Amino acid sequence: MFNHKGGTGKTVSAYNIGWKLTQHGHNVLLVDGDSQVNLTALALGYDRFDAYYDDPSTKLNNIKDGVAPVFEGRPQALEAFECPLAENNDKLFVLPGHADLAAYEGQLSLAQETSGSLSVLKNLPGAIHALIGLVEEKYGIDYTIIDLNPGLGALNQNFFMGCDGFVVPTNPDPFSLMAVETLGTHLTKWHDWKIANIEKFADAGYPLRDSMPVFMGTINARFNKHASKAAKKFDDRIKKIDQSVTENLVPKLAASGMVASKECYEEAHEKWKHVLTNDNTGLYALGRVPDFQGLIHTATVSGVPIFALDEDKLKSDGIQGVILEKALPNINQFDEIFEAITAKIELLISDDCRET
């Protein structure tokens, strides 16, 4: 999940899609690559979150301490550790983040800039994905979702270089449009660097992961609803984002082989267009996610996504009468939207849809 603009809903989207994938029968790993550790807090629940980092038996089981042997030059191999489960979901695992993960940014930047020429730094670029791979093996993970911070530093580059696909969450505002217009330049630069340098790290203890990041699509989130559509101001901005994705982002990505088969985008679009809340949906839009503000509190208290709420959970949070009657259709709509988004991702990430 990446956009170099903040506040686009990356963390919530990662959590919701991860949960949906478990409903499809998959074991899923959520990786918190953001030093704000919001994904860890959301998945564990805020009470468990505080206890996790206070408890001596668990506080070192996080991504920063997991790769510390490599970054701190210890004579110790990376090992998978016990990862917590998300609250109320026994198929959704969490690789917790760390508030000081950015401390490794400088070392990682130097290692990537020197392109493997300094032997002491050669293991660093492959270490994070090596740790993720060990955790995936330990828990039989089918899908891993990585939540990134909104920056353009070495850590995000490193996470991105090892992924198989990426989603770009956006908001209907001018800054998201600006971000989309420049995103392709940054992402292709990162990927092209990897293609040019991957062989230089082939003999490292932790080589770069052999992968091709493919664009899954955008998610348009946090717009106001009006008659089941985005209000006109937001609707117009969403259309501009869709246009920029089609005319600017996708051609840049395609030049580096970072897109799926166009037939697969068309198949996904046609199959799920009835779910989306905008009639003029862009081909590369995974979904539109309206802002159901009133339900977020109940979902957080219940330790589930909005689409996993039910009448009992709503009543336990004091929601009754007319408000309850209005909430249930919104929950169903939210469920349909994330069902569509997740199904599209499963299709587009499949081997049949990937072009190189």
Side-chain angles (χ1 to χ4, degrees), residues 35-198:
S35 294
Q36 296 184 64
V37 293
N38 289 327
L39 180 59
T40 306
L42 178 61
L44 297 187
Y46 292 95
D47 290 338
R48 286 179 64 208
F49 172 78
D50 289 341
Y52 188 86
Y53 290 97
D54 285 336
D55 188 337
S57 69
T58 58
K59 69 179 184 179
L60 297 180
N61 290 355
N62 63 75
I63 193 165
K64 179 180 184 286
D65 287 297
V67 297
V70 177
F71 281 82
E72 297 177 8
R74 302 177 198 164
Q76 175 185 345
L78 297 179
E79 295 181 349
F81 47 77
E82 294 294 324
C83 286
L85 286 165
E87 190 173 7
N88 299 313
N89 192 323
D90 63 3
K91 297 179 74 66
L92 188 59
F93 297 84
V94 183
L95 178 47
H98 193 285
D100 200 29
L101 179 61
Y104 291 154
E105 187 98 40
Q107 290 170 270
L108 194 54
S109 178
L110 181 59
Q112 291 169 184
E113 287 172 6
T114 54
S115 302
S117 61
L118 298 178
S119 59
V120 70
L121 300 175
K122 204 161 190 176
N123 279 335
L124 270 59
I128 291 176
H129 280 284
L131 176 65
I132 293 171
L134 291 168
V135 174
E136 288 172 335
E137 184 178 358
K138 178 180 178 69
Y139 292 107
I141 298 298
D142 302 305
Y143 288 89
T144 292
I145 301 178
I146 305 173
D147 184 29
L148 302 186
N149 70 65
L152 291 169
L155 273 169
N156 276 352
Q157 177 182 356
N158 188 266
F159 278 118
F160 183 81
M161 287 190 304
C163 75
D164 297 303
F166 60 99
V167 174
V168 180
T170 68
N171 297 146
D173 60 43
F175 302 104
S176 274
L177 181 59
M178 293 178 195
V180 167
E181 288 174 345
T182 60
L183 190 61
T185 299
H186 298 294
L187 298 185
T188 54
K189 180 180 178 181
W190 286 351
H191 179 62
D192 292 348
W193 178 93
K194 178 186 172 183
I195 296 299
N197 290 278
I198 189 169

